[in-house]
Amino acid sequence: MNEALISLLEVKDLECITVKEICEKAGVNRSTFYLHYEAISDLVNETMENVNKRFLACFTQSEDNFAGKISGKKLEDLILVTHGYLIPYLRFINENKKVYRASFRNPNEMQANVRYRSLKKYILEPILKKFEVPEMRWRYYIAYYIEGTMAIIKEWLNNDCQ
């Protein structure tokens, strides 16, 4: 049902998708849907959690492991725009184009902003602290990093990840 939802989100806004459509696309009965979910929003949450787990598995270090070691890292090791961080990220996006296109098409419903909370809390904020950026400026640096990254991903997707 996750893949059926993603496939539908590529062409429709979430509020226009019905349980019937999801079930038809997934090849299951409505009763099967309601056995697992109370509403489509539950399926959306599950789908995004699964995507996040697959995403984190692409990296050699877990998010918690990296986050826990930030204070002991050298400043040059905290620059995340390197091959070591970008290549797994871009490869994952390329392999999951449907998810990312659906997420950009339906940002509120796919809770894109919620997905960045742990990135902000455990990665970006500790890095900004380590670089001694005044806390009153963090929101601007974080917005710049996240919005800039999203703009690059959108552009890359528009060019079919070439």
Side-chain angles (χ1 to χ4, degrees):
M1 285 189 264
N2 291 322
E3 293 303 319
L5 175 65
I6 291 167
S7 182
L8 290 166
L9 283 169
E10 258 197 294
V11 295
K12 295 177 85 170
D13 289 334
L14 184 62
E15 60 269 4
C16 298
I17 296 174
T18 64
V19 171
K20 180 181 176 187
E21 289 175 303
I22 293 169
C23 293
E24 285 174 359
K25 192 84 164 166
V28 299
N29 294 322
R30 287 173 62 93
S31 59
T32 302
F33 178 90
Y34 288 110
L35 179 65
H36 297 281
Y37 312 104
E38 287 186 28
I40 292 175
S41 60
D42 296 329
L43 175 59
V44 170
N45 288 334
E46 179 189 273
T47 300
M48 295 314 296
E49 284 177 25
N50 289 336
V51 169
N52 286 338
K53 286 177 188 173
R54 289 193 330 242
F55 173 71
L56 291 175
C58 292
F59 295 90
T60 55
Q61 299 175 339
S62 74
E63 182 178 301
D64 292 334
N65 189 21
F66 180 85
K69 294 181 179 179
I70 286 176
S71 61
K73 289 189 176 282
K74 294 184 260 177
L75 292 179
E76 60 266 18
D77 293 334
L78 297 176
I79 304 211
L80 302 181
V81 185
T82 65
H83 279 90
Y85 293 106
L86 283 179
I87 298 301
Y89 187 47
L90 295 175
R91 186 176 299 125
F92 183 82
I93 292 167
N94 190 22
E95 293 168 358
N96 294 274
K97 292 176 196 174
K98 285 183 178 183
V99 173
Y100 281 86
R101 286 184 177 129
S103 185
F104 286 126
R105 184 174 161 75
N106 303 274
N108 293 332
E109 295 85 356
M110 300 289 279
Q111 301 174 351
N113 60 339
V114 173
R115 307 291 166 206
Y116 287 106
R117 280 190 192 142
S118 61
L119 171 69
K120 288 165 48 175
K121 182 178 179 182
Y122 297 109
I123 306 294
L124 298 177
E125 288 178 358
I127 287 173
L128 291 171
K129 185 176 185 176
K130 179 92 173 176
F131 273 95
E132 299 179 0
V133 174
E135 196 169 332
M136 63 187 215
R137 295 185 184 156
W138 287 7
R139 63 190 287 199
Y140 301 107
Y141 279 78
I142 290 169
Y144 180 80
Y145 181 83
I146 291 174
E147 295 297 327
T149 301
M150 288 173 42
I152 290 167
I153 293 167
K154 282 181 190 178
E155 187 65 29
W156 198 50
L157 285 169
N158 287 339
N159 289 306
D160 202 34
C161 300
Q162 299 299 314

